[in-house]
Amino acid sequence: MIQIASLLKGKLIDIWPLLPAAIYLFTSLVLVIVYLLKLAFTHRGVFPSLTPVQQVLQDPEFSDALINSLFFVLVGTPTELCIGILLALLIYTAPVLRSTLRSFFILPMAFPGLVIASLFFILFNSQGGMVNDLLMGRYDFFPAIIETDINWSGNRWFSLILSMMGKVWRDMPLSMLIILSGLNAVDVSIFDAAKTLGAGFRHRLLFIVIPLIFPAIKTVILLRSIEMWKEFIFPYVLSGRYYLLGTLVEHYYNGFSGQPEKGSVVALILLVCVILSLFTLLFLLQNIEKRLINRGSDASAA
């Protein structure tokens, strides 16, 4: 008992500086969720009421926003992961230019998301945008590819892909740094030994690099999937009426009709989607990690 008490005392001494912040964050989260629950289940002053939930579930804008958000998560997360891995490998395999390349690739994080979204809006504007001018052959150095201007923001999938491009480019440095930290923790002699034994780049990547940096990959997938679910700035600026769940909350809450109860319902649904996707990803990633470990053990035994 004395040992357990001393151990608990030591743990409390280690974590007590974090307790005020933890209490503040937990209290804020509880207050927000309670307020959302009260607002989401109130209709014309009557509480509880399922009318706002029924209205949201029957609204075509909600189903479209859910599909758009799923598209963002299922396509944007692996895209950002793959780009992060490629750039991290590029930096890792170029020791002479490592600091220069790292500084260059981190540049997008220096700009606010709203600035980058506005830049993409200007570049891809259907009226006078530089991309349309380039494709129309209005610059002497580039031939004409299209005959009429493309309304990028007027097409659902064009605008969503454009929003995703901006999001991935803006947040890619964080994924790259996480993967790079995983690579830096690996002993270089392992790669040298595999190369000496005749393993090609593909085999080194699939059977050595990815299993060794899988904890970093798992971190990127979990963090970036959350970011993709709750994305707001880029679809708000670039997608317009093609809502994601995050922008649909704003549309309901601050729109012409002013329906905060419906916005609260969508916010709660978004929270549930994030939690469900996290548990699903944790389950899948843990199974993949076990298979990678077993495959490595079988290879070592052989």
Side-chain angles (χ1 to χ4, degrees):
M1 291 296 294
I2 297 176
Q3 292 180 348
I4 295 176
S6 61
L7 181 62
L8 291 175
K9 183 178 179 181
K11 292 293 184 182
L12 287 175
I13 292 175
D14 292 336
I15 67 172
W16 77 265
L18 301 176
L19 285 178
I23 293 172
Y24 170 76
L25 292 175
F26 179 76
T27 304
S28 301
L29 180 63
V30 170
L31 289 176
V32 169
I33 292 177
V34 169
Y35 179 74
L36 283 177
L37 287 170
K38 182 178 182 301
L39 196 58
F41 292 98
T42 301
H43 181 66
R44 296 180 180 177
V46 178
F47 177 86
S49 173
L50 293 177
T51 302
V53 179
Q54 294 171 350
Q55 291 176 347
V56 168
L57 295 178
Q58 294 171 0
D59 192 344
E61 287 185 335
F62 168 73
S63 57
D64 290 342
L66 182 59
I67 293 172
N68 295 340
S69 296
L70 284 171
F71 173 76
F72 236 70
V73 174
L74 296 177
V75 178
T77 303
T79 300
E80 190 171 331
L81 173 65
C82 292
I83 295 176
I85 292 176
L86 290 175
L87 296 182
L89 287 172
L90 179 61
I91 295 173
Y92 185 79
T93 54
V96 178
L97 300 174
R98 182 171 296 180
S99 59
T100 303
L101 289 174
R102 185 171 56 218
S103 301
F104 177 74
F105 291 142
I106 290 176
L107 275 179
M109 292 185 65
F111 302 97
L114 182 59
V115 173
I116 296 178
S118 301
L119 176 63
F120 269 71
F121 180 80
I122 294 171
L123 289 174
F124 288 89
N125 191 7
S126 60
Q127 302 295 327
M130 293 182 64
V131 174
N132 271 338
D133 287 346
L134 183 68
L135 298 177
M136 289 284 291
R138 291 169 182 154
Y139 298 104
D140 296 334
F141 61 87
F142 197 85
I145 297 179
I146 59 176
E147 296 181 356
T148 58
D149 290 325
I150 299 175
N151 186 7
W152 301 94
S153 59
N155 181 278
R156 177 181 181 181
W157 298 111
F158 275 164
S159 62
L160 290 175
I161 291 173
L162 189 60
S163 301
M164 189 184 303
M165 286 171 52
K167 175 66 175 176
V168 169
W169 187 74
R170 166 65 174 77
D171 293 348
M172 166 272 301
L174 183 58
S175 301
M176 179 197 70
L177 290 175
I178 295 174
I179 300 297
L180 185 60
S181 66
L183 285 171
N184 289 331
V186 178
D187 190 354
V188 182
S189 62
I190 298 176
F191 302 131
D192 295 336
K195 191 174 182 179
T196 303
L197 293 173
F201 175 77
R202 183 171 65 88
H203 284 82
R204 295 200 304 273
L205 178 64
L206 295 178
F207 296 101
I208 298 177
V209 175
I210 290 181
L212 290 175
I213 66 170
F214 194 78
I217 292 176
K218 184 163 62 173
T219 302
V220 170
I221 292 175
L222 293 175
L223 291 179
R224 304 328 298 165
S225 63
I226 296 174
E227 283 293 319
M228 290 296 176
W229 270 116
K230 65 186 187 67
E231 177 54 28
F232 177 81
I233 291 294
F234 285 95
Y236 183 77
V237 174
L238 299 172
S239 296
R241 64 183 182 274
Y242 303 111
Y243 302 110
L244 273 67
L245 290 179
T247 54
L248 186 63
V249 173
E250 191 277 337
H251 169 67
Y252 280 147
Y253 201 91
N254 294 322
F256 294 111
S257 55
Q259 298 172 306
E261 66 280 359
K262 293 175 68 174
S264 300
V265 171
V266 177
L268 289 173
I269 292 174
L270 178 57
L271 179 61
V272 171
C273 289
V274 171
I275 294 173
L276 289 178
S277 66
L278 277 180
F279 280 108
T280 304
L281 286 172
L282 280 172
F283 175 77
L284 294 175
L285 292 171
Q286 285 176 355
N287 287 336
I288 293 173
E289 191 171 20
K290 289 178 181 178
R291 290 192 177 188
L292 290 175
I293 293 172
N294 293 333
R295 187 177 67 179
S297 301
D298 295 341
S300 300

